[in-house]
Amino acid sequence: MDAVKIVEDVYWVGAIDWNIRDFHGYSTHRGTTYNAYLILGEKNILIDTVKKGFFDEMISRIQNVIEPRDIDYIFSLHVEMDHSGSLPEIMEVADKAKVVATERCQKGLSLHYHECKKEFVTVKNGDTLKFGDKTFTFVEIPMLHWPDNTMTYMHERKILFSSDGFGQHLATSQRFNDEVPEDIVMYEARKYYANILLRYADIATRRINEILKMNLDIRVIAPAHGVIWHRDPTKIVEYYLKWSSGDTVKKALVVYDTMWGSTAKMALAIADGIMSRGVEVKVFNLRATDRSDVMTEVLDARAIIVGSPTLNNNMFPTVADFLTYMKGFRPKNKIGAAFGSYGWSGEAPKQILEELKAMKFDVVESPLRVQYVPSREELESCYKFGKEIGKKIVEAG
Ligand code: FEO
Protein backbone atom coordinates (compact mmCIF):
# COMPACT_ATOMS: atom_id res chain seq x y z
CA MET A 1 0.00 0.00 0.00
CA ASP A 2 1.13 3.55 -0.67
CA ALA A 3 2.36 6.11 1.80
CA VAL A 4 0.98 9.60 1.12
CA LYS A 5 3.46 12.47 1.04
CA ILE A 6 2.27 15.43 3.11
CA VAL A 7 5.32 17.70 2.75
CA GLU A 8 9.00 17.05 2.13
CA ASP A 9 10.16 14.15 4.37
CA VAL A 10 6.73 13.63 5.96
CA TYR A 11 4.35 10.83 4.98
CA TRP A 12 0.95 9.59 6.12
CA VAL A 13 1.27 5.85 6.83
CA GLY A 14 -1.98 5.25 8.72
CA ALA A 15 -4.99 3.03 8.13
CA ILE A 16 -8.52 3.64 6.87
CA ASP A 17 -11.30 1.93 8.82
CA TRP A 18 -14.07 2.09 6.23
CA ASN A 19 -16.51 -0.11 8.09
CA ILE A 20 -16.49 0.94 11.74
CA ARG A 21 -19.92 2.25 12.73
CA ASP A 22 -19.56 2.29 16.52
CA PHE A 23 -16.49 3.89 18.06
CA HIS A 24 -16.88 3.17 21.78
CA GLY A 25 -20.52 4.25 21.65
CA TYR A 26 -20.10 7.04 19.10
CA SER A 27 -21.87 6.40 15.78
CA THR A 28 -19.26 6.64 13.04
CA HIS A 29 -21.54 6.73 10.00
CA ARG A 30 -18.61 7.67 7.77
CA GLY A 31 -15.99 5.34 9.31
CA THR A 32 -12.66 6.72 10.50
CA THR A 33 -8.91 6.69 9.97
CA TYR A 34 -6.06 5.99 12.37
CA ASN A 35 -3.36 8.40 11.31
CA ALA A 36 0.29 7.49 11.73
CA TYR A 37 3.01 9.66 10.23
CA LEU A 38 6.52 8.80 9.09
CA ILE A 39 9.26 11.43 9.08
CA LEU A 40 12.47 10.76 7.21
CA GLY A 41 15.82 12.32 8.04
CA GLU A 42 19.05 11.67 9.87
CA LYS A 43 16.72 9.90 12.28
CA ASN A 44 13.56 8.23 11.01
CA ILE A 45 10.54 8.85 13.19
CA LEU A 46 7.12 7.22 13.31
CA ILE A 47 4.41 9.31 14.98
CA ASP A 48 1.84 7.03 16.62
CA THR A 49 0.69 3.67 15.30
CA VAL A 50 -2.78 2.34 14.38
CA LYS A 51 -5.49 0.28 16.04
CA LYS A 52 -4.69 -3.40 16.54
CA GLY A 53 -5.86 -5.28 13.45
CA PHE A 54 -4.65 -2.54 11.11
CA PHE A 55 -0.92 -3.20 11.59
CA ASP A 56 -0.51 -4.86 8.17
CA GLU A 57 -1.90 -1.79 6.44
CA MET A 58 0.42 0.55 8.35
CA ILE A 59 3.53 -1.59 7.84
CA SER A 60 2.93 -1.90 4.11
CA ARG A 61 2.63 1.88 3.82
CA ILE A 62 5.88 2.29 5.80
CA GLN A 63 7.59 -0.28 3.53
CA ASN A 64 6.55 1.86 0.59
CA VAL A 65 9.08 4.44 1.85
CA ILE A 66 11.68 2.77 4.10
CA GLU A 67 12.51 -0.53 5.75
CA PRO A 68 10.60 -0.52 9.07
CA ARG A 69 13.73 -1.69 10.91
CA ASP A 70 15.28 1.67 10.01
CA ILE A 71 12.88 3.54 12.29
CA ASP A 72 14.87 5.18 15.09
CA TYR A 73 12.09 6.70 17.18
CA ILE A 74 8.39 6.17 17.70
CA PHE A 75 6.65 9.21 19.14
CA SER A 76 3.70 8.03 21.19
CA LEU A 77 1.37 11.01 21.51
CA HIS A 78 -1.57 9.12 23.03
CA VAL A 79 -2.07 5.86 24.90
CA GLU A 80 -5.61 5.09 23.72
CA MET A 81 -5.56 1.86 21.77
CA ASP A 82 -6.72 3.28 18.45
CA HIS A 83 -3.25 4.88 18.31
CA SER A 84 -1.03 2.60 20.36
CA GLY A 85 -2.65 -0.75 19.51
CA SER A 86 0.03 -1.72 17.00
CA LEU A 87 2.95 -0.63 19.18
CA PRO A 88 3.88 -4.17 20.29
CA GLU A 89 3.96 -5.37 16.67
CA ILE A 90 5.98 -2.44 15.32
CA MET A 91 8.45 -2.80 18.22
CA GLU A 92 9.09 -6.38 17.05
CA VAL A 93 10.00 -5.14 13.57
CA ALA A 94 11.63 -1.80 14.43
CA ASP A 95 13.65 -3.42 17.16
CA LYS A 96 16.19 -0.62 17.67
CA ALA A 97 13.51 2.10 17.92
CA LYS A 98 13.07 4.08 21.13
CA VAL A 99 9.66 5.26 22.25
CA VAL A 100 9.48 9.02 22.81
CA ALA A 101 6.72 9.90 25.27
CA THR A 102 5.81 11.98 28.29
CA GLU A 103 5.87 10.37 31.73
CA ARG A 104 2.07 10.17 31.74
CA CYS A 105 2.10 8.45 28.39
CA GLN A 106 4.84 6.04 29.42
CA LYS A 107 2.87 5.05 32.49
CA GLY A 108 -0.26 4.46 30.42
CA LEU A 109 1.62 2.44 27.81
CA SER A 110 3.21 0.28 30.51
CA LEU A 111 -0.23 -0.41 31.97
CA HIS A 112 -1.55 -1.44 28.56
CA TYR A 113 1.34 -3.40 27.03
CA HIS A 114 2.88 -5.23 29.94
CA GLU A 115 5.08 -7.59 27.92
CA CYS A 116 6.09 -5.17 25.18
CA LYS A 117 9.81 -4.40 25.29
CA LYS A 118 10.37 -0.68 24.90
CA GLU A 119 13.07 1.82 25.72
CA PHE A 120 11.68 5.24 26.53
CA VAL A 121 12.97 8.74 25.88
CA THR A 122 11.12 11.12 28.19
CA VAL A 123 9.81 14.44 26.94
CA LYS A 124 8.16 17.17 28.99
CA ASN A 125 5.69 19.92 28.28
CA GLY A 126 7.46 22.78 26.46
CA ASP A 127 10.58 20.77 25.55
CA THR A 128 12.16 21.60 22.20
CA LEU A 129 14.41 18.75 21.15
CA LYS A 130 16.38 17.73 18.09
CA PHE A 131 16.05 14.23 16.65
CA GLY A 132 18.67 14.11 13.91
CA ASP A 133 18.05 17.05 11.59
CA LYS A 134 14.47 17.67 12.78
CA THR A 135 13.37 19.82 15.72
CA PHE A 136 10.23 19.21 17.75
CA THR A 137 8.43 21.17 20.47
CA PHE A 138 6.20 19.03 22.70
CA VAL A 139 2.99 20.35 24.26
CA GLU A 140 1.04 18.24 26.71
CA ILE A 141 -2.72 18.56 26.27
CA PRO A 142 -4.03 16.54 29.24
CA MET A 143 -7.72 15.56 28.99
CA LEU A 144 -7.91 16.25 25.28
CA HIS A 145 -8.83 13.48 25.36
CA TRP A 146 -7.00 11.38 27.99
CA PRO A 147 -4.48 12.56 30.60
CA ASP A 148 -1.58 11.59 28.33
CA ASN A 149 -2.42 13.34 25.04
CA THR A 150 0.51 15.29 23.61
CA MET A 151 0.93 17.46 20.55
CA THR A 152 4.25 18.03 18.83
CA TYR A 153 5.27 20.75 16.41
CA MET A 154 7.96 20.07 13.83
CA HIS A 155 9.77 23.33 13.15
CA GLU A 156 11.44 22.48 9.83
CA ARG A 157 8.13 21.74 8.07
CA LYS A 158 5.83 23.84 10.30
CA ILE A 159 3.51 20.93 11.06
CA LEU A 160 1.56 20.47 14.25
CA PHE A 161 0.89 16.80 14.96
CA SER A 162 -2.19 17.36 17.06
CA SER A 163 -3.14 13.91 18.40
CA ASP A 164 -6.90 13.76 19.12
CA GLY A 165 -7.24 17.54 18.77
CA PHE A 166 -8.82 18.73 15.50
CA GLY A 167 -9.68 15.17 14.40
CA GLN A 168 -12.74 13.85 12.62
CA HIS A 169 -14.11 10.33 12.30
CA LEU A 170 -14.11 10.33 8.53
CA ALA A 171 -12.91 7.54 6.24
CA THR A 172 -12.02 8.92 2.83
CA SER A 173 -9.59 8.15 0.05
CA GLN A 174 -8.50 11.79 0.30
CA ARG A 175 -6.02 12.86 2.94
CA PHE A 176 -6.41 16.65 2.94
CA ASN A 177 -9.21 18.95 4.06
CA ASP A 178 -9.56 20.77 0.75
CA GLU A 179 -10.10 17.50 -1.15
CA VAL A 180 -13.36 16.70 0.69
CA PRO A 181 -16.53 18.86 0.65
CA GLU A 182 -16.12 21.39 3.44
CA ASP A 183 -19.59 20.78 4.91
CA ILE A 184 -18.76 17.10 5.44
CA VAL A 185 -15.38 17.79 7.04
CA MET A 186 -16.78 20.50 9.30
CA TYR A 187 -19.80 18.42 10.32
CA GLU A 188 -17.55 15.53 11.32
CA ALA A 189 -15.10 17.86 13.11
CA ARG A 190 -18.02 19.35 15.07
CA LYS A 191 -19.44 15.93 15.91
CA TYR A 192 -15.99 14.80 17.07
CA TYR A 193 -15.61 17.86 19.29
CA ALA A 194 -19.12 17.48 20.75
CA ASN A 195 -18.71 13.77 21.48
CA ILE A 196 -15.05 13.53 22.48
CA LEU A 197 -13.79 16.87 23.76
CA LEU A 198 -16.72 18.98 24.95
CA ARG A 199 -16.44 17.86 28.57
CA TYR A 200 -13.07 19.59 28.79
CA ALA A 201 -13.99 22.72 26.85
CA ASP A 202 -12.33 25.01 29.42
CA ILE A 203 -9.09 23.07 29.26
CA ALA A 204 -9.29 23.09 25.46
CA THR A 205 -9.52 26.87 25.45
CA ARG A 206 -6.59 27.19 27.84
CA ARG A 207 -4.37 24.78 25.95
CA ILE A 208 -5.16 26.27 22.54
CA ASN A 209 -4.41 29.77 23.83
CA GLU A 210 -1.12 28.52 25.29
CA ILE A 211 -0.18 27.09 21.90
CA LEU A 212 -1.20 30.31 20.12
CA LYS A 213 0.99 32.32 22.53
CA MET A 214 4.00 30.26 21.46
CA ASN A 215 3.70 32.01 18.06
CA LEU A 216 4.41 28.84 16.14
CA ASP A 217 4.03 29.26 12.41
CA ILE A 218 1.54 26.43 11.84
CA ARG A 219 1.12 25.62 8.13
CA VAL A 220 -0.30 22.11 8.53
CA ILE A 221 -2.26 20.42 11.31
CA ALA A 222 -1.99 16.65 11.21
CA PRO A 223 -4.51 15.06 13.59
CA ALA A 224 -4.82 11.46 14.72
CA HIS A 225 -8.11 10.93 12.85
CA GLY A 226 -9.55 12.10 9.56
CA VAL A 227 -8.21 14.53 7.02
CA ILE A 228 -5.13 16.72 7.43
CA TRP A 229 -5.73 20.46 7.65
CA HIS A 230 -3.37 21.97 5.08
CA ARG A 231 -5.61 24.65 3.61
CA ASP A 232 -6.39 27.40 6.08
CA PRO A 233 -5.38 25.26 9.11
CA THR A 234 -6.06 28.00 11.65
CA LYS A 235 -9.76 27.94 10.77
CA ILE A 236 -10.34 24.74 12.75
CA VAL A 237 -8.45 26.31 15.68
CA GLU A 238 -10.87 29.24 15.61
CA TYR A 239 -13.82 26.83 15.52
CA TYR A 240 -12.45 25.03 18.58
CA LEU A 241 -12.28 28.31 20.47
CA LYS A 242 -15.86 29.09 19.42
CA TRP A 243 -17.19 25.65 20.40
CA SER A 244 -15.33 25.79 23.70
CA SER A 245 -16.91 29.15 24.57
CA GLY A 246 -20.34 27.57 25.13
CA ASP A 247 -21.98 30.14 22.87
CA THR A 248 -25.42 29.04 21.67
CA VAL A 249 -27.67 29.98 18.78
CA LYS A 250 -31.45 30.45 18.66
CA LYS A 251 -32.05 26.72 18.36
CA ALA A 252 -34.03 24.14 20.35
CA LEU A 253 -33.93 20.36 20.37
CA VAL A 254 -36.98 18.32 21.26
CA VAL A 255 -35.65 14.89 22.21
CA TYR A 256 -37.98 12.08 23.22
CA ASP A 257 -39.06 8.47 23.12
CA THR A 258 -42.62 7.23 22.95
CA MET A 259 -44.52 3.99 23.61
CA TRP A 260 -47.91 4.45 21.92
CA GLY A 261 -47.33 7.78 20.20
CA SER A 262 -48.70 10.14 22.88
CA THR A 263 -45.33 11.60 23.91
CA ALA A 264 -44.53 11.92 20.19
CA LYS A 265 -47.71 13.97 19.66
CA MET A 266 -46.72 16.19 22.58
CA ALA A 267 -43.20 16.59 21.13
CA LEU A 268 -44.52 17.80 17.77
CA ALA A 269 -46.98 20.25 19.36
CA ILE A 270 -44.24 21.65 21.63
CA ALA A 271 -41.89 21.95 18.63
CA ASP A 272 -44.60 23.86 16.75
CA GLY A 273 -45.03 26.25 19.67
CA ILE A 274 -41.28 26.94 19.79
CA MET A 275 -41.18 27.47 16.02
CA SER A 276 -43.95 30.07 16.29
CA ARG A 277 -41.34 32.32 17.97
CA GLY A 278 -39.03 32.10 14.96
CA VAL A 279 -36.67 29.66 16.68
CA GLU A 280 -34.98 26.82 14.77
CA VAL A 281 -36.17 23.45 16.10
CA LYS A 282 -34.86 19.92 15.59
CA VAL A 283 -36.94 16.95 16.75
CA PHE A 284 -35.32 13.60 17.61
CA ASN A 285 -36.95 10.31 18.52
CA LEU A 286 -34.18 8.50 20.38
CA ARG A 287 -35.08 5.22 18.73
CA ALA A 288 -34.50 6.76 15.30
CA THR A 289 -31.39 8.84 16.03
CA ASP A 290 -28.22 7.80 17.82
CA ARG A 291 -27.38 9.73 20.98
CA SER A 292 -24.06 10.92 19.50
CA ASP A 293 -25.87 12.52 16.56
CA VAL A 294 -28.17 14.32 18.99
CA MET A 295 -25.11 15.38 21.02
CA THR A 296 -23.66 17.02 17.91
CA GLU A 297 -26.73 19.27 17.82
CA VAL A 298 -26.59 19.91 21.57
CA LEU A 299 -23.28 21.73 21.06
CA ASP A 300 -24.79 25.04 19.93
CA ALA A 301 -28.47 24.54 20.86
CA ARG A 302 -29.85 27.02 23.39
CA ALA A 303 -32.61 24.73 24.68
CA ILE A 304 -32.99 20.98 25.15
CA ILE A 305 -36.55 19.79 25.79
CA VAL A 306 -36.71 16.16 26.82
CA GLY A 307 -39.80 13.93 26.80
CA SER A 308 -40.50 10.43 28.03
CA PRO A 309 -43.41 8.18 28.83
CA THR A 310 -43.35 6.59 32.29
CA LEU A 311 -42.38 2.92 32.29
CA ASN A 312 -42.52 1.06 35.60
CA ASN A 313 -42.23 4.32 37.57
CA ASN A 314 -39.20 5.41 35.58
CA MET A 315 -38.27 7.35 32.47
CA PHE A 316 -37.82 5.27 29.32
CA PRO A 317 -34.35 3.58 29.15
CA THR A 318 -33.40 5.37 25.91
CA VAL A 319 -34.10 8.72 27.56
CA ALA A 320 -32.05 7.77 30.64
CA ASP A 321 -29.25 6.71 28.29
CA PHE A 322 -29.31 10.06 26.47
CA LEU A 323 -29.40 12.10 29.69
CA THR A 324 -26.49 10.12 31.17
CA TYR A 325 -24.52 10.61 27.98
CA MET A 326 -25.23 14.35 27.75
CA LYS A 327 -24.52 14.89 31.47
CA GLY A 328 -21.01 13.49 30.99
CA PHE A 329 -20.17 16.35 28.61
CA ARG A 330 -21.32 19.11 31.00
CA PRO A 331 -22.90 21.32 28.30
CA LYS A 332 -23.05 24.99 29.31
CA ASN A 333 -25.65 27.76 28.96
CA LYS A 334 -28.71 25.62 28.22
CA ILE A 335 -32.42 26.08 28.83
CA GLY A 336 -34.21 22.85 29.75
CA ALA A 337 -37.76 21.53 29.99
CA ALA A 338 -39.43 18.15 30.42
CA PHE A 339 -42.65 16.53 29.26
CA GLY A 340 -44.29 13.17 28.76
CA SER A 341 -47.49 11.15 28.70
CA TYR A 342 -48.27 8.53 31.32
CA GLY A 343 -50.84 5.95 32.28
CA TRP A 344 -51.14 6.04 36.06
CA SER A 345 -48.00 7.07 38.00
CA GLY A 346 -46.24 9.58 35.67
CA GLU A 347 -42.85 10.07 37.35
CA ALA A 348 -40.72 10.40 34.19
CA PRO A 349 -41.01 14.15 33.41
CA LYS A 350 -40.12 15.07 36.99
CA GLN A 351 -37.13 12.72 36.92
CA ILE A 352 -35.98 14.30 33.66
CA LEU A 353 -36.29 17.76 35.15
CA GLU A 354 -34.13 16.74 38.12
CA GLU A 355 -31.46 15.49 35.72
CA LEU A 356 -31.54 18.74 33.76
CA LYS A 357 -31.22 20.71 37.00
CA ALA A 358 -28.23 18.57 37.97
CA MET A 359 -26.68 19.68 34.68
CA LYS A 360 -27.26 23.30 35.76
CA PHE A 361 -29.75 23.97 32.97
CA ASP A 362 -32.02 26.97 33.35
CA VAL A 363 -35.20 24.89 33.55
CA VAL A 364 -38.89 25.57 33.05
CA GLU A 365 -39.99 24.51 36.53
CA SER A 366 -43.23 22.63 35.85
CA PRO A 367 -42.88 19.62 33.60
CA LEU A 368 -45.78 19.09 31.23
CA ARG A 369 -47.67 15.81 31.66
CA VAL A 370 -50.63 14.28 29.84
CA GLN A 371 -52.50 11.15 30.92
CA TYR A 372 -52.80 8.52 28.20
CA VAL A 373 -53.59 10.22 24.86
CA PRO A 374 -53.47 14.01 24.51
CA SER A 375 -56.80 15.65 23.68
CA ARG A 376 -57.08 18.64 21.36
CA GLU A 377 -57.04 20.95 24.41
CA GLU A 378 -53.99 19.21 25.82
CA LEU A 379 -52.16 19.54 22.52
CA GLU A 380 -53.03 23.22 22.65
CA SER A 381 -51.37 23.31 26.10
CA CYS A 382 -48.30 21.64 24.60
CA TYR A 383 -48.20 24.30 21.88
CA LYS A 384 -48.41 27.05 24.53
CA PHE A 385 -45.69 25.31 26.57
CA GLY A 386 -43.50 25.38 23.46
CA LYS A 387 -44.37 29.02 22.84
CA GLU A 388 -43.23 29.93 26.35
CA ILE A 389 -39.97 28.05 25.88
CA GLY A 390 -39.54 29.83 22.54
CA LYS A 391 -39.95 33.17 24.29
CA LYS A 392 -37.28 32.20 26.84
CA ILE A 393 -34.92 31.19 24.03
CA VAL A 394 -35.37 34.46 22.18
CA GLU A 395 -34.95 36.53 25.37
CA ALA A 396 -31.73 34.66 26.26
CA GLY A 397 -30.16 35.59 22.91
FE1 FEO B 1 -8.33 8.67 18.97
FE2 FEO B 1 -8.41 9.33 22.42
O1 FEO B 1 -8.06 8.37 20.81
Side-chain angles (χ1 to χ4, degrees):
M1 286 179 151
D2 288 340
V4 179
K5 187 173 176 179
I6 300 173
V7 289
E8 198 59 36
D9 296 335
V10 181
Y11 294 83
W12 176 85
V13 290
I16 306 172
D17 192 347
W18 295 100
N19 295 308
I20 188 169
R21 291 293 177 269
D22 183 335
F23 187 93
H24 61 46
Y26 171 143
S27 63
T28 43
H29 304 297
R30 291 189 170 104
T32 194
T33 67
Y34 312 111
N35 294 340
Y37 299 97
L38 183 66
I39 299 166
L40 305 185
E42 290 170 9
K43 298 291 178 188
N44 298 315
I45 298 161
L46 178 67
I47 297 193
D48 284 325
T49 70
V50 294
K51 188 175 165 182
K52 191 176 169 65
F54 290 84
F55 173 76
D56 288 350
E57 184 172 339
M58 178 183 75
I59 205 76
S60 84
R61 293 190 196 282
I62 293 172
Q63 280 164 338
N64 187 238
V65 186
I66 57 165
E67 275 305 313
R69 76 172 67 90
D70 292 335
I71 295 171
D72 298 286
Y73 295 100
I74 298 170
F75 288 8
S76 182
L77 301 184
H78 186 21
V79 174
E80 194 166 10
M81 288 177 281
D82 47 336
H83 309 295
S84 68
S86 293
L87 188 65
E89 284 164 286
I90 190 75
M91 291 306 287
E92 290 290 318
V93 184
D95 52 1
K96 67 170 187 197
K98 295 177 181 168
V99 178
V100 176
T102 62
E103 275 182 14
R104 276 198 193 99
C105 199
Q106 290 176 31
K107 189 176 172 198
L109 289 172
S110 298
L111 291 169
H112 277 73
Y113 306 105
H114 305 276
E115 309 300 329
C116 173
K117 286 194 184 66
K118 46 205 169 305
E119 188 182 335
F120 286 117
V121 173
T122 305
V123 290
K124 294 197 292 295
N125 187 44
D127 278 355
T128 297
L129 301 169
K130 266 197 128 37
F131 293 83
D133 56 340
K134 305 290 190 303
T135 319
F136 295 86
T137 295
F138 294 85
V139 184
E140 289 188 69
I141 48 164
M143 303 324 296
L144 298 179
H145 139 244
W146 280 16
D148 51 84
N149 282 84
T150 311
M151 292 187 182
T152 191
Y153 175 77
M154 188 176 120
H155 290 259
E156 287 75 11
R157 301 289 178 264
K158 305 182 191 315
I159 302 182
L160 180 68
F161 297 94
S162 60
S163 187
D164 276 337
F166 314 120
Q168 331 95 52
H169 284 312
L170 179 57
T172 59
S173 51
Q174 298 89 347
R175 298 275 63 82
F176 298 103
N177 65 316
D178 56 351
E179 296 173 336
V180 179
E182 190 178 7
D183 57 333
I184 292 177
V185 177
M186 289 315 298
Y187 176 81
E188 294 301 341
R190 189 160 78 106
K191 179 170 181 178
Y192 187 95
Y193 180 89
N195 285 276
I196 304 267
L197 303 174
L198 177 62
R199 179 182 172 91
Y200 298 104
D202 294 339
I203 297 178
T205 307
R206 216 164 43 239
R207 292 291 170 210
I208 289 171
N209 281 325
E210 279 169 21
I211 292 167
L212 293 177
K213 269 189 215 150
M214 294 167 89
N215 288 321
L216 302 171
D217 180 10
I218 299 170
R219 303 279 174 87
V220 179
I221 296 178
H225 295 287
V227 293
I228 295 156
W229 305 91
H230 83 162
R231 195 180 73 180
D232 203 2
T234 51
K235 191 171 164 187
I236 186 63
V237 179
E238 283 158 24
Y239 268 98
Y240 263 51
L241 290 173
K242 187 173 120 185
W243 294 331
S244 301
S245 71
D247 285 353
T248 60
V249 297
K250 215 167 66 172
K251 176 171 120 182
L253 310 184
V254 180
V255 184
Y256 70 96
D257 204 337
T258 192
M259 287 168 74
W260 291 102
S262 293
T263 303
K265 284 181 183 169
M266 294 178 75
L268 295 180
I270 292 168
D272 233 37
I274 300 172
M275 280 183 241
S276 74
R277 299 287 191 181
V279 173
E280 181 193 358
V281 180
K282 291 193 174 176
V283 178
F284 296 106
N285 180 329
L286 286 165
R287 270 187 284 172
T289 304
D290 184 79
R291 59 175 178 250
S292 55
D293 293 308
V294 181
M295 196 60 220
T296 309
E297 298 296 333
V298 167
L299 186 61
D300 65 353
R302 193 165 294 159
I304 322 290
I305 298 95
V306 183
S308 175
T310 296
L311 177 70
N312 298 326
N313 305 106
N314 272 303
M315 69 179 91
F316 219 66
T318 47
V319 178
D321 171 276
F322 169 67
L323 289 172
T324 303
Y325 189 68
M326 180 167 67
K327 192 179 189 176
F329 292 108
R330 302 196 277 217
K332 290 187 281 197
N333 306 331
K334 306 293 183 198
I335 292 166
F339 66 97
S341 81
Y342 68 100
W344 45 97
S345 58
E347 292 91 340
K350 221 172 165 187
Q351 292 168 351
I352 291 168
L353 202 72
E354 289 309 312
E355 286 297 317
L356 298 178
K357 280 183 184 172
M359 289 181 232
K360 299 189 168 43
F361 281 28
D362 175 13
V363 297
V364 176
E365 273 300 337
S366 308
L368 188 66
R369 302 191 315 159
V370 164
Q371 191 167 17
Y372 290 121
V373 178
S375 64
R376 190 181 298 176
E377 291 73 28
E378 285 168 325
L379 287 176
E380 188 57 33
S381 300
C382 292
Y383 180 86
K384 282 186 188 151
F385 186 69
K387 216 169 160 182
E388 275 313 298
I389 295 166
K391 185 165 174 262
K392 213 168 153 65
I393 293 167
V394 172
E395 285 171 357

